[in-house]
Structures are given as C-alpha cells and as structure tokens.
Amino acid sequence: SRDYLEHITSVGPRTTGSPENEILTVHYLLEQIKLIEVQSSSLHRISVDVQRPTGSFSIDFLGGFTSYYDNITNVVVKLEPRDGAQHAVLANCHFDSVANSPGASDDAVSCSVMLEVLRALSASPEALHHAVIFLFNGAEENVLQASHGFITQHPWAGLIRAFINLEAAGVGGKELVFQTGPENPWLVQAYVSAAKHPFASVVAQEVFQSGIIPSDTDFRIYRDFGNIPGIDLAFIENGYIYHTKYDTADRILTDSIQRAGDNILAVLKYLATSDMLPSSSKYRHGNMVFFDVLGLCVIAYPSRVGSIINYMVVMAVVLYLGKKLLQPKHKTGTYTKDFLCGLGITLVSWFTSLVTVLIIAVFISLIGRSLSWYNHFYVSVCLYGTAAAAKIILIHTLAKRFYYMNASDRYLGEVFFDISLFVHCVSLTALTYQGLCSAFISAVWVAFPLLTRLCMHKDFKQHGAQGKFIALYFLGMFIPYLYALYLIWAVFEMFTPILGRSGTEIPPDVVLASILAGCTMILSSYFINFIYLARSTKRTMLVLTVVCAVTFLLVCGGAFFPYSSHPASPKPKRVFLQHVTRTFHDLDGNIVKRDSGIWINGFDYTGMSHITPHIPEINDSIRAHCEENAPLCGFPWYLPVHFLIRKNWYLPAPEVSPGNPAQFRLVSKEQTPWDSIKLTFEATGPSHMSFYIRTHEGSTLSQWSLGNGTPVTSKGGDYFVFYSHGLQASAWRFWIEVQVLEERPEGMVTVAIAAHYFSGEDKRSSQLDALKEKFPDWTFPSAWVCTYSLFVF
C-alpha cells in the first residue's frame, strides 16, 4: 500500500480533467490492476472497466446547487467467483484531489488500501460467495460527480447491495465509522463482527448528518440516488493540513495504512461471504446504537432496545427521587424546596458560565485575536474552560454561604448530587424521545452515578465525605468520565481544524467557547456536590481565576500566534487567490464594464489582518465590493460558499489571457406554447466552470435541462451550476425556461459564467506567482487563473 500511495501522489495534484488525473493516475491504476489479475487465484475472476459518464443532478449541500459533468473517469474492477455472482458489495475511493494539494490522505491512501485489498482477496484460496466491486472514482472533489455517474449509469450498479466508502477529513490516524445505513442494522453488526481495529460512533453519525460540518461524501450519492445502505469511514486526525500542500504521503504513518487495510479487508471479506447481502432489503428496519470502547471493541444494539434501556434507567431515577420527594412533609422537611432551589441555582450557574465565556469570546474576536488557540489548543482550555469552571464554583459558593448557611454539608452534598442526576435524566428522556441514538451517553451518565450512589448511601450517611467515600465515588464515576473524555477528545480533534476553514462570518472563538462551556458543565455536574462538602473553595477559585486572567492578558497581547509552519506539525492559514478578468455586458450585448484583479479570500474569521503586515498592498482599501445587480455579487465563486465568506479583497492586476478561453453564446431564444421564454446556451472552456443565474423582478425560472428539470436555488436566491469535464468534452449545451410575468426594460434574466483553470500553463500568471511568493510560510495560498463573463437577456 505504501508503494501504491507514493506512486499516486508523485504525479502531484490530480484535479479532474488534468492529464495527471485522467492519464497518469488512470494508467498507473490499470497497470497495477493488470499485475494483480496475473497473480490472482483461479477461484476468482477479475473484470475491469473504464467508465466515462456524463450526467447532472441537484444536491442540497452548501445551500443547494446543481452539478453537471461530462466525460469524467471511473476505473471499476469486479472481483467475483469464477462462475459469476448476482450480488455485490462496493468499495469506493477517489483518486482525484483538490487543486494544489497532493491529496495523499484525501484520498490516495484509500485507493492504495483498496488496491492492496483487491490483491489480497484475488490471491486468496477462499472462494467468495458474492462479487466485490472496487470503484476508483476520478471526480469526488467535484462534489461527488463520479459516484453519481457510476451508481446511476454503470451496468454493474444493479448488482450492488451494500457499500463501504473510504474518505478523509484529516491526515492519517484511525479511520472512524461516522455514517452507516440508512437503517440496515446488519451492516453495523458486520463491521462489529469483522473489523480488527474498530473505531465507530453513532454520535459522529448524528453530528455529521445534522449538517453542522460543511462537508459531504459519496455516501450521500449511494444513499440518495442508489438507495443502497453502506458504511462511511474517514481519517479524522490532523485536519489542519487537510486539502493543503502538506497532505503528503510521508505524513501518513504505515501503522495507519496497515490498520485501515486490516479493517477493510476483514469487513469486505465478511460481506462478500454473508448470507444477508443478497436480501439486504429484508433487514432494513430500525437504526443501531453503536460505539467503540476506547478502540478495543464496538458495542452495538438496535435503537429500539436502546430506548427500552434508556426508559428503564429513567424509571429507576424516578423511583429513587420520587421516594425522597413524595415522603410525608415531616420526614422530608425542606428537601423538596431545597431541591427546586438548588436546581434553579445550578441552571443559573450554567447560564452565567456560558454568558461569561461568550463575553470573553466576543471581546477577543472584536480586538482581532480570534483563533489564538488554533496552534496551541491548551490556550482555549486555560481561557474558556477555567472561566466556565470558576463561574460555576462562584455561584455555588455564594449559594452555600448566603442561602444554605444553616444546612449541613452532607445534606447539601446529597441534594446537589440528586439535582445533577435529575438534569441528566431529563436530558436522557429528551434525547430518547427525539429518537437520537446518542442518548446512550446520557444513559451512561445516569446509570453509573445512580448505582454508585445506591452502593455508598449508607457509608456516606454514617461517615460523610471521608477518604473511602471519595475513592469509591471516583471509582464509580470512572467509566462515564473516561468515556466522556474520550468523546470530547474526538470532538475537538475534528472540530478545531474545521474552525480554521469555516469562513469569515462565524466567530470561531464563540463556537469553541460555547463547546468548552458545555463540556465544563457536563464534566463538573457530578462534582458540584463537593463544593458543598468542601470546607472552602477559595484556593480552587483563585487558581482558576489567575490562570484565566493571565491567559486572557497574553491572548490580548498577541502572545499566541494562530498559525504555524513547523515542518512536523504545520497549521497553515488558508487563502484562495484567483487572478480574474471580469467582463460585464448589457442587454444589447455591449461591454459596460471590464476589470482585472486578484480576488483574495481568507477561509477563516481573521480575514487578512495577519497578512497585511507582510503584504501591505492587501488591506481594507481594496476590499471587494458587491455588484448588486450580478448573481453572487459578480465574482467567480468556485462553489456557492458566498454566504460563509463575505469578506474578500480585490487587488488590481493586468488582464489574463488563457490559451483555452471560455466561449459562451446564446444559441436560440424561443417562445414556448405555455408562454415562457426558452433560452438555449452553449459553453466551451476548461475542465471546471461555474454558471450563475439571477432572474429579474417579474420573472421566474420555471424549468431547465439540468438535474431533474426543477431549478434549485442557492442561498440568497440565485442559481448556481457546477460544471466539469474530463480530458475531452463536446460543447456544453443546455437550456433554461423563464416565465415572464411582467416585461421590464432591464430584461428578464442575468447569467454569468466563470472559467477556472486548475492545471497546465493556463493556471498560472506572473502576477499570481509574484503575489504567492510574498505570502509568509505559515500560509497556504491556493492560486489559479479564471475569467468571468456576465450577460443580460
């Protein structure tokens, strides 16, 4: 696998349509598959097909847009028993990469693992019951186009009953199962039974499918367009260098490759010999709760069983608390009142804790010190974690001193333990009622503390919070806290790098401070009672306050720089540079405006504030101005992420003149029998183009020849079409229908087309190269040439 990986990445970036992707990588894959075929066992038969699909579809990713592809490349290999097979399991990877990145982790390493798995399975003396189809797809970074071309058009697609998708959201480490299904719990059981090094979490699945992570995988295509169940795996560690020049083969440890290979081989072999695969639709019922235990094994059970377990735990808490709350008044005394007041105090402490860290986060953002923790994660804990903990302790210390001054410590310790148990029980009930499989975490956080409490109740009554009680209490809390910390590590491993590429509109400090405050509330919940059992909390509060204050001053003073170019652990700032020539036409076809410049987009909240000292010409005086009458503000957006990145810069530069200029023309304009205007266009140009549409007041876009025929708007109301082609393609011809309700002098529709040059000599310009050289080494400037032409009809 290591040799395969180094050969694939040695050709450099592999964008769809480039010779590196369409010729060099495809030829290498076919050569290796041929060698594997020669060495294969006589028990198996290998068939190879190179598919060049053309198609179109709409997707609700990034606010919604439509995709069109022409003559892209899939290398498909079918390994089956000598007598053939009627059913198959699919393994999918992609060999293309984003522009200017070697794409070792995303996704060359997965294709390397698949080649090795193909070699191992084909040489195995064990016969397969079903076929295994290996899809090496050449256009995933073009927003999932190649997988759509395969699953909707390839003749072997009808054999597939399940799939495994290999992806990356980081570079190396463990590969996480972060999506399964839909439904089909037998697939999770297959992974549980077969994987040698399991790492899976239904929490990751529910977080990813909520849409809060701005990413998507081929899993969506197979699920939505193929109606096939599957398993989605991805490397998640070190997302700081994902989609950058640092995503190189040498950064992926051999252990990571071996681990992934062991898992994929075992799971594919299991599925290819499974009796469930042929009739997988029969087992499509319900979801699964699944989670790994520190990477040692995976626990999985049906969600309906999980609901029963969860409600049983809730009932146990109801009985435990009900016995106390419903006792005669002369026995309980003020317990009910103290419980309710304590609940209020706890909620107030959490709320004020959240408000405190948000005030700090907003202030840090306003003074331009966002992301100070990006290169030093401990800074975020020292700043926001300590502030949250100190505020919680302060509120409870004040309550103990001024409200509960006459109550005994033991009594208050018991009351606040019960309050924490009640809050987690409410959380468990709500999550279970919502049908979320992640509710199992709350079940763990209720069941173990309750059992600990019941086992130690008598000892606590007799001796109070002595050493034995504390030791046993910590022992009882060990499992929920260990698992919570394990999950929190995974959350920050994935989310922290994402906050460095989440756009200019979302303050990352506010997001991270909120997450840390939430983690602090959860982790402190079962230790609030110790505030009331302890003699004094002054020392603890003093330490937390000093750490927070010192960190705050250091952050405000700029002591922690967000980015790093350290060779062993780079954490670069991402910047897009597009040298563009823009041409605007009026209704009569005359050019009303033409300009050229380098359009600059920073992918994080800090914008260009850290760049300006190094490149003074990039400053707020060249902030890009939105062209109000043009779709997407009149700039050549490669993807419709305009709503995430509103701060950009436009540095004047000479015109570009690519050797393969984009051509766009109106072929025909017709009146339809249903009184709409049909406009037919034709476009030719480089392998990547973006087409934008904005209808004028009084006009609507009723249908088009793209996707399923129904136009899909992007955020903001404009229409975005993503186009790509392979090495060669005919002219792109398509039509749109505009329903004109009221004729206006300014026309009925504005369209624009941007051509992106990602490979060859056309991708470069002397001005672009000169500007790139000025960027400091802690940045990753991804640069290319493009043109933009706007027309009114």
Side-chain angles (χ1 to χ4, degrees):
S1 293
R2 169 68 67 182
D3 289 342
Y4 295 142
L5 173 61
E6 290 178 353
H7 272 94
I8 293 171
T9 55
S10 67
V11 304
R14 303 170 303 283
T15 52
T16 300
S18 67
E20 292 83 0
N21 193 67
E22 308 297 327
I23 298 175
L24 297 178
T25 307
V26 170
H27 282 184
Y28 176 74
L29 289 171
L30 292 174
E31 284 173 9
Q32 298 309 308
I33 292 163
K34 189 68 178 174
L35 290 174
I36 290 169
E37 188 176 3
V38 170
Q39 300 167 5
S40 65
S41 165
S42 59
L43 288 171
H44 312 294
R45 184 171 68 194
I46 293 179
S47 307
V48 184
D49 182 49
V50 178
Q51 184 200 22
R52 312 274 187 190
T54 295
S56 181
F57 62 96
S58 294
I59 190 170
D60 61 2
F61 178 52
L62 294 177
F65 65 96
T66 299
S67 188
Y68 184 94
Y69 54 90
D70 187 6
N71 199 40
I72 57 176
T73 305
N74 281 323
V75 177
V76 197
V77 184
K78 180 166 66 169
L79 175 70
E80 60 185 334
R82 178 58 60 184
D83 297 331
Q86 298 300 310
H87 310 282
V89 57
L90 171 71
N92 176 78
C93 72
H94 67 91
F95 57 84
D96 67 314
S97 72
V98 294
N100 304 310
S101 172
S105 185
D106 187 22
D107 192 33
V109 68
S110 297
C111 291
S112 304
V113 167
M114 274 175 45
L115 281 171
E116 184 59 24
V117 169
L118 171 61
R119 187 201 62 76
L121 284 176
S122 65
S124 171
E126 299 175 39
L128 300 173
H129 299 173
H130 315 294
V132 181
I133 295 174
F134 295 84
L135 172 58
F136 301 87
N137 90 54
E140 189 272 352
E141 297 297 356
N142 285 10
V143 200
L144 323 178
Q145 290 178 337
S147 54
H148 181 270
F150 171 78
I151 206 64
T152 58
Q153 298 175 43
H154 200 280
W156 294 345
L159 303 176
I160 297 168
R161 303 291 175 261
F163 70 89
I164 296 177
N165 182 49
L166 309 182
E167 253 299 346
V171 179
K174 298 177 179 180
E175 77 287 356
L176 169 71
V177 172
F178 66 100
Q179 285 192 99
T180 65
E183 299 186 321
N184 286 273
W186 69 277
L187 266 177
V188 178
Q189 292 290 5
Y191 177 83
V192 171
S193 302
K196 293 186 177 181
H197 315 284
F199 185 38
S201 174
V202 73
V203 179
Q205 173 173 295
E206 292 182 340
V207 168
F208 190 83
Q209 292 181 350
S210 71
I212 63 174
I213 297 177
S215 185
D216 219 329
T217 74
D218 287 323
F219 182 96
R220 170 198 282 263
I221 298 297
Y222 299 129
R223 179 194 67 195
D224 295 353
F225 293 94
N227 198 28
I228 301 167
I231 300 173
D232 214 0
L233 299 101
F235 294 104
I236 64 165
E237 287 187 15
N238 200 6
Y240 299 98
I241 57 178
Y242 166 77
H243 280 190
T244 72
K245 65 181 179 182
Y246 298 107
D247 184 8
T248 52
D250 60 293
R251 295 185 185 276
I252 302 175
L253 298 177
T254 302
D255 285 350
S256 292
I257 301 173
Q258 184 64 51
R259 173 197 162 86
D262 288 344
N263 281 344
I264 303 308
L265 176 60
V267 175
L268 281 177
K269 188 181 287 186
Y270 184 96
L271 291 173
T273 55
S274 169
D275 294 332
M276 290 186 174
L277 189 73
S279 51
S280 60
S281 59
K282 291 182 181 177
Y283 304 99
R284 185 172 184 163
H285 55 276
N287 293 312
M288 288 288 280
V289 178
F290 60 92
F291 54 93
D292 70 287
V293 181
L294 307 179
L296 301 173
C297 65
V298 172
I299 294 174
Y301 48 88
S303 59
R304 62 182 181 280
V305 174
S307 296
I308 293 169
I309 294 170
N310 294 348
Y311 284 127
M312 286 174 64
V313 172
V314 170
M315 284 308 299
V317 174
V318 169
L319 291 172
Y320 168 77
L321 291 178
K323 186 179 177 183
K324 292 185 173 186
L325 293 167
L326 299 177
Q327 278 184 357
K329 211 167 188 182
H330 65 277
K331 288 188 179 180
T332 59
T334 59
Y335 177 85
T336 302
K337 177 187 173 187
D338 290 337
F339 179 90
L340 294 174
C341 290
L343 177 61
I345 290 165
T346 300
L347 295 177
V348 167
S349 73
W350 287 350
F351 176 74
T352 55
S353 171
L354 178 62
V355 169
T356 300
V357 297
L358 288 179
I359 289 171
I360 296 172
V362 169
F363 180 81
I364 294 294
S365 302
L366 290 174
I367 65 170
R369 297 299 181 192
S370 279
L371 293 170
S372 295
W373 38 264
Y374 191 66
N375 188 33
H376 318 273
F377 184 72
Y378 63 86
V379 173
S380 64
V381 178
C382 293
L383 182 61
Y384 300 122
T386 55
K391 196 57 178 275
I392 289 170
I393 294 171
L394 174 64
I395 297 298
H396 285 284
T397 301
L398 292 173
K400 177 184 177 182
R401 181 174 297 177
F402 297 110
Y403 184 78
Y404 291 118
M405 56 275 205
N406 297 322
S408 73
D409 292 349
R410 291 185 195 181
Y411 170 73
L412 290 176
E414 185 175 342
V415 168
F416 278 91
F417 174 88
D418 293 347
I419 288 167
S420 297
L421 190 70
F422 173 77
V423 170
H424 284 288
C425 185
V426 170
S427 170
L428 173 59
T429 306
L431 292 173
T432 306
Y433 179 76
Q434 290 293 321
L436 295 174
C437 295
S438 303
F440 80 90
I441 302 171
S442 291
V444 169
W445 272 72
V446 172
F448 281 90
L450 179 59
L451 285 172
T452 302
R453 184 69 185 172
L454 293 174
C455 292
M456 297 168 51
H457 182 70
K458 190 174 290 186
D459 183 74
F460 179 70
K461 282 284 189 184
Q462 292 174 358
H463 307 293
Q466 301 298 321
K468 180 184 175 184
F469 168 82
I470 294 171
L472 291 173
Y473 190 86
F474 273 77
L475 186 64
M477 297 295 175
F478 180 74
I479 290 177
Y481 272 82
L482 180 65
Y483 190 72
L485 290 170
Y486 179 63
L487 267 184
I488 288 169
W489 163 81
V491 166
F492 285 115
E493 185 75 39
M494 182 176 286
F495 268 97
T496 308
I498 288 173
L499 291 172
R501 57 178 191 266
S502 57
T504 62
E505 300 308 294
I506 302 168
D509 276 68
V510 170
V511 175
L512 191 70
S514 302
I515 295 172
L516 277 167
C519 292
T520 305
M521 293 171 199
I522 293 167
L523 293 175
S524 67
S525 57
Y526 283 114
F527 287 94
I528 287 173
N529 52 334
F530 281 93
I531 297 172
Y532 295 89
L533 292 169
R535 290 180 182 176
S536 173
T537 57
K538 285 182 182 177
R539 188 175 298 174
T540 305
M541 284 182 56
L542 180 63
V543 170
L544 290 171
T545 305
V546 168
V547 170
C548 179
V550 170
T551 308
F552 178 76
L553 292 173
L554 289 172
V555 167
C556 291
F560 303 107
F561 191 66
Y563 314 105
S564 168
S565 60
H566 192 284
S569 180
K571 293 174 182 174
K573 176 181 176 64
R574 299 160 191 261
V575 182
F576 276 9
L577 308 174
Q578 294 171 246
H579 190 173
V580 58
T581 293
R582 302 189 302 169
T583 308
F584 298 80
H585 300 82
D586 63 13
L587 190 58
D588 299 320
N590 302 315
I591 295 176
V592 292
K593 179 179 178 181
R594 187 177 174 91
D595 64 23
S596 293
I598 297 176
W599 187 45
I600 304 165
N601 281 287
F603 265 58
D604 65 41
Y605 191 74
T606 64
M608 292 292 114
S609 60
H610 294 292
I611 303 293
T612 302
H614 298 268
I615 313 175
E617 58 265 38
I618 302 178
N619 56 59
D620 281 349
S621 68
I622 60 159
R623 280 285 291 272
H625 299 291
C626 179
E627 298 284 345
E628 297 294 343
N629 296 323
L632 276 69
C633 282
F635 283 102
W637 291 100
Y638 172 62
L639 286 171
V641 292
H642 51 289
F643 62 96
L644 292 173
I645 306 170
R646 296 189 189 276
K647 299 174 192 169
N648 31 63
W649 289 256
Y650 195 47
L651 182 66
E655 288 192 6
V656 294
S657 51
N660 174 29
Q663 303 290 337
F664 180 80
R665 68 186 184 95
L666 176 67
V667 176
S668 65
K669 179 179 179 181
E670 309 167 54
Q671 179 92 26
T672 68
W674 43 91
D675 289 333
S676 64
I677 306 297
K678 182 178 180 180
L679 302 173
T680 302
F681 300 109
E682 186 176 273
T684 58
S687 60
H688 292 75
M689 294 190 287
S690 308
F691 184 66
Y692 323 94
I693 305 172
R694 172 178 291 182
T695 53
H696 297 178
E697 191 175 343
S699 301
T700 58
L701 197 62
S702 56
Q703 57 181 323
W704 58 11
S705 59
L706 306 168
N708 63 3
T710 302
V712 173
T713 59
S714 292
K715 282 201 173 178
D718 294 331
Y719 299 84
F720 186 101
V721 182
F722 181 95
Y723 168 89
S724 80
H725 67 68
L727 259 189
Q728 295 175 334
S730 55
W732 177 30
R733 183 170 287 204
F734 61 98
W735 54 262
I736 64 173
E737 273 192 23
V738 183
Q739 197 77 42
V740 181
L741 306 175
E742 181 184 348
E743 289 194 19
R744 290 179 173 268
E746 65 270 18
M748 58 184 171
V749 66
T750 296
V751 302
I753 190 161
H756 305 274
Y757 296 87
F758 282 136
S759 62
E761 285 304 309
D762 283 348
K763 123 179 219 189
R764 302 176 60 182
S765 72
S766 57
Q767 293 80 17
L768 206 51
D769 290 344
L771 184 62
K772 271 182 67 179
E773 288 299 315
K774 294 182 181 180
F775 274 81
D777 57 5
W778 42 263
T779 62
F780 169 61
S782 183
W784 68 94
V785 164
C786 53
T787 59
Y788 177 96
S789 299
L790 178 142
F791 305 87
V792 182
F793 299 100

